[in-house]
Amino acid sequence: MARDLGPGASARRGRLRVYLGSAPGVGKTYRMLDEARRRQERGADVVVGWIECHGRKHTAAMLDGLEIVPALHRIYRETEFREMDLDAVLARRPSVALVDELPHTNIPGGRNAKRWQDIEELLAAGVDVITTVNIQHLESLNDVVQKITGIPQRETVPDEVVRRADQIELVDMAPQALRRRMAHGNVYKAEKVDAALTNYFRVGNLTALRELALLWVAGRVDEGLREYRSTHRIDRVWETSERVVVALTGGPEGETLIRRAARIADRTIGGQGDNRLLAVHVTRSDGLAGASPAALATQRQLVETLGGSYHVVVGDDIPSALLAFARANDATQLVLGTSRRGRVNRFLTGPGIGETTVDQSEDIDVHMVTHEFTGRGRLPSLGRRHSRRRTVAGFGSGLLLPFALTALLSQLHHTVNLTTDALLFQLGVVAVALLGGAVSALVAALVASLLLNYYFIPPVHTFTIGETNNWIALLVFAAVALTVSTVVDRAGRQTSRAARATAEAETLSTLAGSVLRARESSSGGSGSAIPTLLEHSRTTFGLDSVALLSRATGEVIARSDGSGEQAAERDTTEVPVGSDALLILAGRRLPADEQRVLTAFAAHVAAALERDRLAAVAAEVEPIKAADRMRTALLAAVSHDLRTPLAAALASVGSLRSPDVEFSPEDQAELLATADESLVKLNRLVDNLLDMSRLQAGALTLNLAAVHLEEVLPRALDSLPDPQVPVQPLDLDHVPAVLADPPLLERVLANVITNALRHNAPGAPVLVTASAHQDQVQIRIADRGPGIPPADRDRVFLPFQRLGDTDNTSGVGLGLALSRGLAEAMGGTLEVEDTPGGGTTMLLTLPVAEEGTL
């Protein structure tokens, strides 16, 4: 499956092709080498900048005939590593360079921290690059993959780097086929196969990773399709996937419509993906009958619970706004509720929103859903601004209704008098005013006055009025008609303004809710709300793209579905955002009334920018505050814990040196043992404090090397106060060597084992086991103690924390905090798990040392 983004790169910039896989071993590197050989056969100048065959003979065989740029050998912490020689590849200037493992982290000290940054330099130099990456290394999916596999990925690449690729090709393989390939020894060495199949490469893990890869690539394909349609101005819906839009008015029928639309989306092909259900509410100048902010908020929650998304758009012509939104999102089906208007209402106001939408829908299927509120609406508001159809109907009624009344009253002239005739004409004028507004009512009043004079005021059939009383009656009739028309028109204008203000307030309320949800969904509520604001403004105003630019540099700070460069090709609106930024909205020219709401959006964006700036300042200050807290806690803790062993040692030595007392050999030995134990404890405490200080200051020096656990564990046990501790190592000799600093790893194991012994059940041994998983080794230290509640598992790694489970004479609480810090400094992790059957297991994860590491 491939996605070609078209000729987006210029002639001076290389093109990037990415082979994306769901898991190691699916064949990304093999496919990359196959593509390289194909291009070489066509005459392209191809070199291998960096390749990782992982001992796979079929992959290595594909290198025959390809030029390989020699690797760069670098020394880091007295250990030699191999890296891609970026300068050599740039000097060679091939037309195509193969660079394997896109998310790789380079050895510190080089020009770039990550390999994808090396690739950016090659692309900028005009070199086409082919690379590989697995789905678990994408930054946005890192936490999802960790939940699936239980293994955190230390090396990640920003999604945008892969998304900008000119071509992305998915290398797919069924989980069962990948497991067979691994069982045959085509992925890992034989000693690693069993552990891999029972851990990372379980069928469930591989199936979930495969689904993530397929969905991610499908999303990029969808982006490319939308970009193509926008570039070529294709407005017709392409039914490449099913999307269902449900229109919400805020009325009581909303929940019924949402559930029906969700069922339709679930039954359609591809209906289980993202963005398959979209709910939209249209706000307009005259409002929507029965719209309730509380009801809309409830309906929004229901939509999001069902996996859909909620949108608000502004538009005076509701059917056109609904269809424009549906086409913009490539929707294939639109769900509407049947009208809540009664028969009289429909007769007076003409076709409703549903009927008009069906007439204009063209290639979008429209579902009219019945509900219990059908036909139970109210009569039309007296003050609504009238549509063009109603205005035309009003003029027609103003001309025809007086003639119809004249014909009727002419048949009844023997039974009704002039007063009745005038009142009936007056009623007709009021009806025309309700239907078509003031101008239509004036037309009706004029025609009615002439007909009343000609046919019913003596002398009849002439426009002459013989009696003064009839003159007065006719003038009163005209005055009342004019007054009613004016009142109706003024009420309509005031109601229209009020409804417009209500619609704007509703839009701003939805905006505020979106901002709050964006902050709450971010880690700790501290994430930036700017992307949410831009996306909300784009969908609300029906725009193609929204970009936030810096006034000083012109750089794009953030954007939604477009950029400032694209915006220059379409109608744009510029709105200042404070004094430092500019909001560029592209797609259509916004009228003045919508720009009032847009000003509020800009104010929120300015506030979000300021909030991000303050958050950055606060983040810079936080390390200083943390250091101050550390110093305060350190001074409070060491005042007792340094004094206790020091006082015991001084007392023992002082007693031995005292000439006043003569001690027996047994007493002398006991005093010397007390002094020795106290000094060992004091030395360990000082070492911990010094190492914690180095960790906090970032000044800890590491000497990473290949370390075998069966060698370092005995030394860690020997360093404990009681060398005869009940520790039982299991299965340590079959795991590969880890990349670690030997003395520091010894310290970590000693501290964790000491902690386990302190809390272990009497007589129960502490178990130490190890297993290999892909490129990591997991070491488990399990005790049978009371365990640690889940809420406290992060707190046990804070310095000077005992959580009340020991007395204050057992140390300053640095052991686990220092152990985690040392583990992370060596590229590993230290986490807490439950021991099956009760107790606590400390899980220490370290990277596997590469072959040849000393």
Side-chain angles (χ1 to χ4, degrees), residues 597-750:
V597 182
L598 187 58
T599 302
F601 274 89
H604 279 282
V605 174
L609 281 174
E610 180 65 14
R611 178 177 177 272
D612 290 350
R613 186 187 67 81
L614 295 175
V617 173
E620 294 175 358
V621 175
E622 184 58 32
I624 301 175
K625 293 172 61 180
D628 289 339
R629 290 193 296 268
M630 176 72 71
R631 294 189 189 96
T632 303
L634 179 62
L635 292 174
V638 301
S639 61
H640 176 275
D641 293 279
L642 284 176
R643 186 185 304 117
T644 301
L646 185 60
L650 288 174
S652 299
V653 174
S655 299
L656 289 172
R657 295 186 60 189
S658 174
D660 300 331
V661 182
E662 184 174 350
F663 294 98
S664 65
E666 292 79 6
D667 291 338
Q668 291 180 3
E670 183 178 353
L671 289 172
L672 288 173
T674 301
D676 181 68
E677 181 181 350
S678 299
L679 291 175
V680 168
K681 184 183 295 185
L682 183 63
N683 182 66
R684 184 181 297 111
L685 176 61
V686 172
D687 286 343
N688 284 345
L689 290 172
L690 290 176
D691 285 340
M692 180 58 70
S693 299
R694 294 189 186 102
L695 278 175
Q696 295 290 334
L700 185 67
T701 301
L702 297 178
N703 296 310
L704 299 179
V707 182
H708 293 277
L709 295 179
E710 64 269 21
E711 298 176 358
V712 73
L713 182 61
R715 295 198 298 268
L717 297 179
D718 291 341
S719 67
L720 300 180
D722 183 5
Q724 303 301 321
V725 294
V727 177
Q728 182 178 352
L730 297 174
D731 300 329
L732 300 183
D733 54 350
H734 72 283
V735 296
V738 298
L739 186 64
D741 186 302
L744 295 184
L745 178 57
E746 179 184 328
R747 292 277 302 283
V748 171
L749 291 174

Side-chain angles (χ1 to χ4, degrees), residues 188-393:
Y188 290 152
K189 295 182 179 179
E191 60 270 17
K192 297 182 179 181
V193 170
D194 290 339
L197 290 175
T198 57
N199 290 278
Y200 190 90
F201 286 84
R202 294 192 298 268
V203 174
N205 288 359
L206 296 177
T207 302
L209 293 173
R210 187 188 188 197
E211 182 179 9
L212 283 177
L214 290 169
L215 290 175
W216 195 89
V217 173
R220 306 294 76 75
V221 172
D222 193 57
E223 287 180 3
L225 178 61
R226 286 201 301 267
E227 182 180 345
Y228 176 85
R229 293 182 58 206
S230 175
T231 302
H232 293 78
R233 300 185 181 277
I234 299 174
D235 296 328
R236 292 184 297 104
V237 174
W238 286 4
E239 299 181 7
T240 55
S241 62
E242 294 288 345
R243 285 190 179 89
V244 180
V245 172
V246 54
L248 302 178
T249 66
E253 76 282 358
E255 295 187 8
T256 301
L257 301 182
I258 293 170
R259 291 189 174 92
R260 179 61 182 275
R263 291 196 297 271
I264 294 174
D266 289 341
R267 288 197 299 265
T268 56
I269 298 176
Q272 298 293 333
D274 295 335
N275 297 323
R276 303 305 181 192
L277 175 63
L278 301 94
V280 59
H281 171 62
V282 180
T283 61
R284 62 182 187 184
S285 58
D286 58 354
L288 283 174
S292 167
L296 287 173
T298 301
Q299 292 166 14
R300 175 174 191 152
Q301 293 178 354
L302 177 59
V303 170
E304 294 174 349
T305 300
L306 295 173
S309 57
Y310 179 86
H311 306 266
V312 177
V313 298
V314 177
D316 286 331
D317 189 345
I318 294 179
S320 298
L322 286 175
L323 293 171
F325 176 83
R327 292 191 174 97
N329 288 276
D330 215 19
T332 55
Q333 303 186 59
L334 178 60
V335 176
L336 297 169
T338 54
S339 178
R340 285 181 281 127
R341 302 177 303 157
R343 294 182 179 179
V344 176
N345 197 330
R346 290 197 296 270
F347 173 76
L348 293 176
T349 59
I353 294 172
E355 298 175 41
T356 306
T357 303
V358 171
D359 292 341
Q360 301 176 2
S361 61
E362 297 178 354
D363 49 0
I364 297 178
D365 297 334
V366 180
H367 301 264
M368 298 296 296
V369 179
T370 59
H371 49 84
E372 59 180 316
F373 303 98
T374 300
R376 298 185 183 182
R378 299 171 297 178
L379 287 173
S381 171
L382 298 181
R384 281 198 179 171
R385 189 171 62 191
H386 305 291
S387 64
R388 178 176 299 178
R389 179 177 295 180
R390 287 186 59 182
T391 301
V392 173

Side-chain angles (χ1 to χ4, degrees), residues 415-446:
T415 58
V416 297
N417 57 21
L418 179 61
T419 302
T420 303
D421 295 336
L423 290 175
L424 290 175
F425 273 107
Q426 186 69 67
L427 179 61
V429 172
V430 172
V432 172
L434 292 175
L435 178 62
V439 177
S440 299
L442 291 176
V443 172
L446 177 61

Side-chain angles (χ1 to χ4, degrees), residues 748-762:
V748 171
L749 291 174
N751 284 341
V752 175
I753 292 174
T754 299
N755 186 77
L757 290 170
R758 183 180 299 128
H759 303 287
N760 198 23

